[in-house]
Amino acid sequence: RHYEVDLSAFRNILEIDRERMIARVEPLVNMGQITRVTVPMNLSLAVVAELDDLTVGGLINGYGIEGSSHIYGLFSDTVVAYEIVLADGRVVRATKDNEYSDLFYAIPWSQGTLGFLVAAEIKLIPVKEYMRLTYTPVVGNLQDLAQGYMDSFAPRDGDQDNPEKVPDFVEGMVYSPTEGVFMTGRYASKEEAKKKGNKINNVGWWFKPWFYQHAQTALKKGEFVEYIPTREYYHRHTRCLYWEGKLILPFGDQWWFRFLLGWLMPPKVSLLKATQGESIRNYYHEMHVIQDMLVPLYKVGDALEWVHHEMEIYPIWLCPHRLFKLPVKTMVYPEPGFEQHRRQGDTPYAQMFTDVGVYYAPGPVLRGEVFDGAEAVRKLEQWLIKNHSFQPQYAVSELNEKDFWRMFDADLYEHVRRKYGAVGTFMSVYYKSKKGRKTEKEVQEAEQAHLETAYAEAD
């Protein structure tokens, strides 16, 4: 906190190693930048987060997911090495099997509080030119929609590692308490996509309908299949920021605006934040929700019902991801004993979770009714704690410190903070992600208490 460190120049792709199938990149490389380089080479990161501006550093230190995460896990699970500047100025390379393996497992979710990430080596996979995408509508109650979503990518016979039964990409959108569309994608060659009778849809063109509205048409016309250029598919939600674009610019999805000015979309999120005043920001926190709920797959139906009852927000985004059983217990971890009681989607080495993405103004706000946004988030966080679920810390959190460490596991994180001298130099992850301003005195007193006593209470 006494020296300002400028990492703004760390935005370079350093190497694409075809032999090792590794991309070595700096932390401010964003997803749009890396797909521009790799996709023409028929390569891709194993997990490519949807929005162009999301950076490698943010996805590692924070949270990153994509439709391929049901195979590869979260973005941080695809990293094979980190280059970190520690509190004492040393630069170390951490891998899962070298002397810094504890640091390697502690970096994800740490929000940059263990050291400065200056480079990462990330797994590459071979890809094809197109994505063959199948849109499947499902109608029923919320538990029916949850089951339809599970069945779209998780074989009921438990054969989760069979590529014949499991698609390359999965995504779900729940549009109302009774309607959802689930999309499954498989990579396809240019030759296949251009066969007579196949429909190619360039969803990335500025005048095209916003992706979530296009997918919704399956509710009227039934299941259909189309081919989307791979890079355009990766960034399908960029132009409309999922459906947040509708709140930012209510007429932005109209055909005349898309045709004349659609190339302006989306506005930069960083610009929106920088130009937002304090009162607008507070109003936004109270009257609007941007939360992700990482829940075990078998609890998706319960999570949908909870969101409907407490927030009434639609659409809802669904994206599955594996939570791997690792040699050490990290901040996020599968349910104990899941491998003995495997459910749909689970394997002996990973439990299947799902991101339930809740992004929009709640129903009561849209109807002009009273809504307490902070209280709704507190209830959501308590539900997550009770159901062995997690809240990514990019979102506004109402957790107090005790509940934060009930949701996340502190042991490895605190061990690594002490071992590598982060305490006193880098703010603790709780204080860094906590809402509101953090005073120097508050942080110093908390850090001193951590040095003197056990950090997390036994629950």
Side-chain angles (χ1 to χ4, degrees):
R1 291 188 295 276
H2 303 289
Y3 301 94
E4 191 170 299
V5 179
D6 181 7
L7 294 176
S8 61
F10 285 71
R11 53 182 69 250
N12 301 291
I13 297 171
L14 302 173
E15 183 183 9
I16 302 294
D17 187 334
R18 281 178 175 272
E19 274 189 36
R20 294 173 60 218
M21 290 296 279
I22 293 294
R24 183 166 171 263
V25 300
E26 292 179 329
L28 289 182
V29 168
N30 66 35
M31 294 297 99
Q33 183 182 351
I34 199 161
T35 56
R36 272 195 299 274
V37 172
T38 58
V39 171
M41 302 166 70
N42 281 5
L43 297 173
S44 170
L45 299 183
V47 174
V48 181
E50 288 91 345
L51 305 181
D52 282 21
D53 285 346
L54 297 176
T55 63
V56 166
L59 295 168
I60 288 171
N61 278 294
Y63 162 71
I65 191 172
E66 170 49 305
S68 59
S69 290
H70 65 296
I71 298 172
Y72 301 105
L74 298 177
F75 188 89
S76 54
D77 292 316
T78 67
V79 179
V80 298
Y82 302 109
E83 291 174 43
I84 304 287
V85 179
L86 299 177
D88 62 5
R90 283 182 297 149
V91 183
V92 301
R93 182 174 179 270
T95 70
K96 65 182 178 181
D97 48 17
N98 73 0
E99 61 185 303
Y100 300 105
S101 61
D102 51 357
L103 180 62
F104 175 86
Y105 286 115
I107 287 292
W109 294 75
S110 67
Q111 302 287 348
T113 61
L114 300 175
F116 290 117
L117 175 69
V118 290
E121 296 172 29
I122 309 171
K123 181 192 292 186
L124 290 168
I125 59 170
V127 300
K128 296 178 181 176
E129 295 88 351
Y130 285 84
M131 186 67 65
R132 182 185 188 274
L133 198 62
T134 303
Y135 301 78
T136 304
V138 176
V139 176
N141 61 36
L142 289 170
Q143 293 289 350
D144 295 333
L145 299 183
Q147 189 59 55
Y149 161 71
M150 290 162 64
D151 290 342
S152 70
F153 70 94
R156 292 200 184 193
D157 62 6
D159 198 7
Q160 192 65 42
D161 288 322
N162 187 340
E164 299 296 319
K165 299 179 181 179
V166 178
D168 295 322
F169 273 77
V170 184
E171 178 180 32
M173 287 185 256
V174 178
Y175 291 96
S176 76
T178 58
E179 297 177 317
V181 176
F182 305 116
M183 288 142 281
T184 53
R186 292 183 180 276
Y187 288 110
S189 66
K190 184 164 51 178
E191 292 72 29
E192 178 188 339
K194 294 190 174 180
K195 281 181 182 174
K196 190 174 180 182
N198 288 341
K199 181 185 177 185
I200 292 177
N201 184 5
N202 292 88
V203 298
W205 290 355
W206 78 94
F207 55 83
K208 287 280 190 172
W210 288 354
F211 184 77
Y212 80 96
Q213 294 175 336
H214 170 64
Q216 192 173 7
T217 62
L219 291 169
K220 286 187 177 178
K221 63 184 184 183
E223 183 172 292
F224 66 96
V225 176
E226 63 186 16
Y227 291 81
I228 300 174
T230 295
R231 186 167 184 268
E232 293 184 32
Y233 175 75
Y234 286 160
H235 303 298
R236 62 199 176 280
H237 292 298
T238 291
R239 283 190 301 126
C240 52
L241 299 173
Y242 290 93
W243 28 89
E244 287 285 290
K246 186 71 174 168
L247 286 177
I248 296 168
L249 203 64
F251 50 82
D253 61 341
Q254 300 297 307
W255 68 267
W256 59 269
F257 179 87
R258 294 198 318 266
F259 187 76
L260 295 173
L261 297 168
W263 52 273
L264 288 170
M265 292 295 286
K268 289 272 187 186
V269 174
S270 54
L271 174 67
L272 293 174
K273 286 182 177 179
T275 55
Q276 207 177 56
E278 187 79 16
S279 57
I280 293 291
R281 190 178 298 115
N282 290 337
Y283 179 84
Y284 189 75
H285 288 336
E286 285 295 319
M287 301 299 176
H288 183 266
V289 175
I290 295 188
Q291 294 284 340
D292 286 275
M293 307 166 66
L294 272 61
V295 304
L297 180 61
Y298 71 93
K299 292 187 176 179
V300 168
D302 297 342
L304 292 176
E305 290 178 341
W306 190 93
V307 172
H308 176 74
H309 183 264
E310 296 290 340
M311 297 179 171
E312 203 180 328
I313 289 177
Y314 293 97
I316 295 173
W317 188 61
L318 299 177
C319 185
H321 69 90
R322 276 178 164 156
L323 203 52
F324 292 100
K325 184 180 178 182
L326 299 172
V328 293
K329 192 176 183 184
T330 57
M331 281 180 65
V332 297
Y333 54 96
E335 291 180 300
F338 78 90
E339 62 274 35
Q340 276 86 45
H341 307 283
R342 297 213 310 261
R343 296 178 172 91
Q344 192 172 352
D346 294 350
T347 59
Y349 57 88
Q351 184 178 10
M352 193 66 75
F353 271 59
T354 280
D355 181 333
V356 180
V358 188
Y359 328 122
Y360 209 63
V365 171
L366 296 175
R367 294 192 296 269
E369 300 168 8
V370 174
F371 180 78
D372 187 337
E375 180 59 25
V377 170
R378 279 192 284 271
K379 287 182 180 177
L380 177 145
E381 289 165 343
Q382 293 306 313
W383 189 93
L384 293 174
I385 290 170
K386 287 173 187 168
N387 289 276
H388 192 89
S389 302
F390 304 97
Q391 174 194 45
Q393 289 308 304
Y394 81 86
V396 173
S397 171
E398 299 288 343
L399 288 166
N400 60 39
E401 193 167 7
K402 180 180 176 182
D403 283 342
F404 183 90
W405 293 115
R406 286 175 64 208
M407 182 181 290
F408 301 102
D409 190 83
D411 291 349
L412 177 66
Y413 173 76
E414 276 304 308
H415 165 75
V416 169
R417 264 177 71 74
R418 288 189 178 89
K419 180 177 176 180
Y420 295 106
V423 178
T425 300
F426 298 104
M427 192 181 289
S428 164
V429 65
Y430 169 73
Y431 284 93
K432 188 165 184 182
S433 57
K434 152 183 194 197
K435 188 170 81 171
R437 296 186 181 276
K438 300 91 178 169
T439 67
E440 183 78 9
K441 183 171 183 290
E442 178 186 39
V443 175
Q444 285 181 344
E445 286 175 353
E447 286 176 345
Q448 190 58 38
H450 299 166
L451 289 170
E452 292 170 357
T453 63
Y455 185 62
E457 289 184 35
D459 187 22

